Amino acid sequence: MRAPIVALLLFHIFVAAGNPQPTTEAEFALARKRMVEEQLAASGRGIKNPRVLEAMATVPRHEFIPEAVRKYAYLDEPLPIGYGQTISQPFIVAYMTEQLEPKATDRVLEIGTGSGYQAAVLSRLVAEVFTIEIIGPLAKRAEADLKRLGYTNVEVLAGDGYKGWPARAPFDAIIVTCAPEQIPQPLVDQLRDGGRMIVPVGSPGAQELYLLKKAGAKIEQQAVLRVWFVPMIKGAE
Ligand code: SAH
């Protein structure tokens, strides 16, 4: 195991020592309710969109993560999901989702399926979710978990998300959950006029989350938050 993951696990064990560990479905549900109140809706965090809060209160995060870390599912932290990848902190998932201003009729593209959790949250808020994962076994596992849990409006593709998904474009919104060095032009091209994209950009330790809005030929973009995502892996040419 890589050192940062070991450090992260030790940190969780430390944090968890002060928290009761959920194991039953009722305890997971209670932990999820507390997560929404304390980590998302609380004044210091400020997630306000009621539909986003509802989705975060409903989707079982613990079902998307490996057994070994399941009891930490509702802590205020990212968690390892295998293959050197992580599921984002719940606040980041809620924040990025809120920034997209998801509408019930939207078709949304996600780059970086990972566990499938972010895709599941989005699937509660929009018409269709298309999600791309470059690590084959992760794509497979996420697809199986989404199916098992009844998220039928999500389509998973194993491949390089840098290129987007031309066959399904254009998208009303695009969410990127791994960090490229620059905003991928194919994704900008596949965004519908009037659409929004949220994407972390930069090297580890120096990333900013950018919100882009496409208005005709014009792209408005602003940095909204400092973040730390896994880097976008470069696919084969
Ligand atoms: N959204 C995920 C967390 C993503 S972690 C969740 O809810 O669990 C980032 C993911 O992006 C990793 O699984 C990583 O394998 C994937 N990734 C990295 N580079 C990629 C690329 N070029 N195309 C598609 N996925 C990529």
Side-chain angles (χ1 to χ4, degrees), residues 133-156:
E133 170 58 53
I134 201 164
I135 298 178
L138 276 180
K140 226 175 186 173
R141 188 178 71 194
E143 188 172 32
D145 282 337
L146 287 160
K147 192 172 173 202
R148 171 176 62 87
L149 297 164
Y151 297 97
T152 52
N153 59 339
V154 182
E155 196 178 346
V156 182

Side-chain angles (χ1 to χ4, degrees), residues 1-29:
M1 241 195 254
R2 300 184 329 168
I5 304 227
V6 173
L8 186 66
L9 275 174
L10 288 175
F11 176 72
H12 283 294
I13 291 161
F14 173 75
V15 171
N19 286 288
Q21 299 294 291
T23 50
T24 65
E25 281 307 308
E27 286 165 352
F28 278 124

Side-chain angles (χ1 to χ4, degrees), residues 85-86 110 112-115 118 133-135 160-161 177 232-233:
Q85 305 302 326
T86 52
E110 178 192 29
T113 315
S115 67
Q118 171 76 72
E133 170 58 53
I134 201 164
I135 298 178
D160 180 10
T177 67
M232 181 179 269
I233 299 165

